[in-house]
Amino acid sequence: MIRNLNIILIFTSVLMLSGVYALKFSIENTASERTALIALIDSQEGDLSLLKADEAVLNQPGHIDPIIKRHEMALAIAPVKQEQFGAFEALPMRPAKPNSAAMDTLFESLEAGVDPIDAILELEGIE
């Protein structure tokens, strides 16, 4: 009986030991993938920062102005003039204030139960 128990314990120990080794190698593989991904992210962040620096240089007016002057005739562009923005006189006037006496009359008639819109619709023959 003891002999059978020892054999079962030895097989169980070997099985558990192989499980631990498999887990260890799996964790090492995951760690190496993580390290590779971190290196890739660092590389891409470096590329992104280089692209942002290039964009900042290319968007400077000192860089854009000679290009615009060189292609001004071909693109038919010119600097913006003050007249293109309009004037204050061209703005529409503020709408007139609502007739408060008429609004008071309307609300009073609504409170009294008379609907002036229904009356207008009846006069027009619209139901």
Side-chain angles (χ1 to χ4, degrees):
M1 179 75 179
I2 297 290
R3 183 176 173 199
N4 289 339
L5 181 64
N6 284 337
I7 292 173
I8 291 173
L9 287 177
I10 288 173
F11 281 126
T12 305
S13 297
V14 169
L15 183 67
M16 296 300 270
L17 184 64
S18 64
V20 168
Y21 276 117
L23 182 63
K24 177 190 172 228
F25 288 123
S26 173
I27 289 172
E28 286 178 356
N29 189 21
T30 303
S32 67
E33 287 177 7
R34 180 182 175 270
T35 304
L37 286 175
I38 288 173
L40 178 65
I41 289 171
D42 287 343
S43 171
Q44 288 179 347
E45 284 178 348
D47 292 343
L48 182 63
S49 109
L50 183 64
L51 288 174
K52 284 183 179 178
D54 286 345
E55 181 186 16
V57 169
L58 294 175
N59 284 337
Q60 288 181 352
H63 180 77
I64 295 174
D65 191 48
I67 296 171
I68 291 173
K69 286 182 179 174
R70 188 174 33 206
H71 299 289
E72 188 174 5
M73 298 300 282
L75 297 174
I77 55 176
V80 178
K81 296 178 182 172
Q82 179 68 29
E83 295 81 24
Q84 291 176 310
F85 292 108
F88 283 112
E89 293 81 25
L91 293 175
M93 296 299 293
R94 179 180 291 183
K97 289 184 176 180
N99 187 351
S100 61
M103 294 298 286
D104 290 341
T105 306
L106 174 67
F107 288 130
E108 288 172 1
S109 65
L110 286 174
E111 288 176 3
V114 176
D115 189 4
I117 296 175
D118 279 343
I120 293 171
L121 292 175
E122 286 178 8
L123 286 175
E124 297 289 327
I126 302 170
E127 293 184 22

